[in-house]
Amino acid sequence: MAQRIDRAASFGQNLYVDTRGAAGEPVPFTQAVINGLAQGGGLYVPEELPTLSLDEICALARLPYAQRAAAIYKAFNVDLPDEAIDELMGRAYGDNFDDEAICPITSLDESTHILELWHGPTSAFKDMALQCLPHFFSASAEKLREEGTLDHEFMILVATSGDTGKAALEGFKGVDGVSIGVLFPDGGVSDIQRKQMVTTTGDNVQVWAVRGNFDDCQTGVKHAFADEKFAEKLLDEYRIALSSANSINWGRLLPQVVYYISSYAELVAAGKIEAGCPIDVCVPTGNFGNILAAWYAKQVGVPIERLLCASNDNRVLTDFINTGTYDISDREFILTSSPSMDILVSSNLERQLFELTGRNGEAIRQWMADLADARCFRVDAETFRRVRENFSADSVDNATCLATIREVLDAHDYLLDPHTAVAYAAAQNLRGENPVLIASTAHWAKFGNNVYRAIHGIEPSGELPADVAALTGCELNKLIAEETDKHHIPAGLANLDTMQLRFTEVIDNDVEAIEDAAEAFLTR
Ligand SMILES: *Cc1c(COP(=O)(O)O)cnc(C)c1O
């Protein structure tokens, strides 16, 4: 018998409060998605969380993934009609993914399960959220327009160091009422990453290379966002507002809660665990979004016992979880073999702390002020106890990361990308009796250079042999595929060398150049 999940009867319209208690009246889901960041700098969280019974969770396995996601959105009382949620989820999780399961689980042994979150169009886990959020963003804007509280459209601007830009382009391309421009550092991304971005199809997309490094690129974009005159002009002349749709948007977090709930159902249905069996979840962590989503899934009712936080050499989160002090006052930014986890300020940690303090906005305001002023904050003893109760953490250096890729290939004939390898190695150190679900956040072919180093025992930043270094990213992946007998390279990565390079413009990194380019895009 089907266990239907209904809209939570225990609470009416589920509103969103902010982590600093500074934004005034709570807002519904649609407004939280459009606002992104709350006024006062805080992040939105739902006032109440639904709880699902074990039966309800396990019954999800009988539905296709899109319907599981729709059921969970309804349980969160998302303020859109049921039919709209069904329809948007159908578009988010369909044949844009190369596996019907959307995020299938590969088990390396009886108790080590790899959750493959990279079957979307850009082969990285950000697709799980960015194939979904844009549809809800567009529907939310339309709802607010109908209600008369919004009368403009949006331009998303994203500065990217690699993965996020392409995932955002693929997510927003063709979406009504939104255009998207992505800026990446000229010469600062891999051959694969650049080609992924500049070959994007669609009328509402634009990509620019920016002179300088990622920091220059990001600073220029931040200045454009802060320029009130520019905002006024865009609104007056084009009826357009800028938006970032970045990873602090609740609309990017909720799709991630979905896959942890869904995966548990999947493990039970496949007979890999008994219903009710506690599991640990290990996540390679950067901005703390993915692991926070697992914590929310636990609150909703998934029998997750411990959350294992895996860091690379940028180990600020591991140190925080182990000491209660978040300190970047004397910490250098390190370039690692797992670049999408290279981060110092982990923005979604704010939500986690808000929850673990029993939703104490005042404490959060103080800690965030300390972080801004002194580049350091320390949580109180009770909050630290709760952190320890939920999380364990470990950091994994580059050499261990690459050695792990090699070990897992030899032992299990399975090829990990460097981010997943960090999680795998951390899980080996931290795991106890429970089965472990490891979040796999990228296909190996996105990071062919480091995978090649791993397979050939070349040290982490060591030079590749000249003939290998001369290959394009696609050619290198083909070589690795032959050497390892891993012939499935996702379509979006395999054919990049034959696709038309649509965007070749290189612009300066100052705010005027970026604003001019954005405006030229609008008048295209
Ligand atoms: C973004 C990213 C991460 C980090 O995820 P967070 O949600 O920021 O913690 C890990 N791995 C890959 C491949 C990513 O692209």
Side-chain angles (χ1 to χ4, degrees), residues 125-126 163 284-290 340-341 419 441-442:
F125 99 101
K126 289 184 176 70
D163 281 357
T285 309
N287 239 330
F288 214 76
N290 201 0
S340 299
M341 298 156 68
H419 303 78
T441 51

Side-chain angles (χ1 to χ4, degrees), residues 123-126 163-164 247 252-253 256 259 283-292 317 338-343 346 348 417 419-420 439-443 446-447:
S123 306
F125 99 101
K126 289 184 176 70
D163 281 357
T164 306
S247 79
R252 273 184 68 172
L253 210 55
Q256 301 184 256
Y259 54 69
V283 184
T285 309
N287 239 330
F288 214 76
N290 201 0
I291 195 165
L292 173 68
L317 284 165
S338 46
S340 299
M341 298 156 68
D342 290 347
I343 204 155
S346 188
N348 263 305
D417 95 284
H419 303 78
T420 312
S440 177
T441 51
H443 189 278
K446 284 210 89 165
F447 300 96

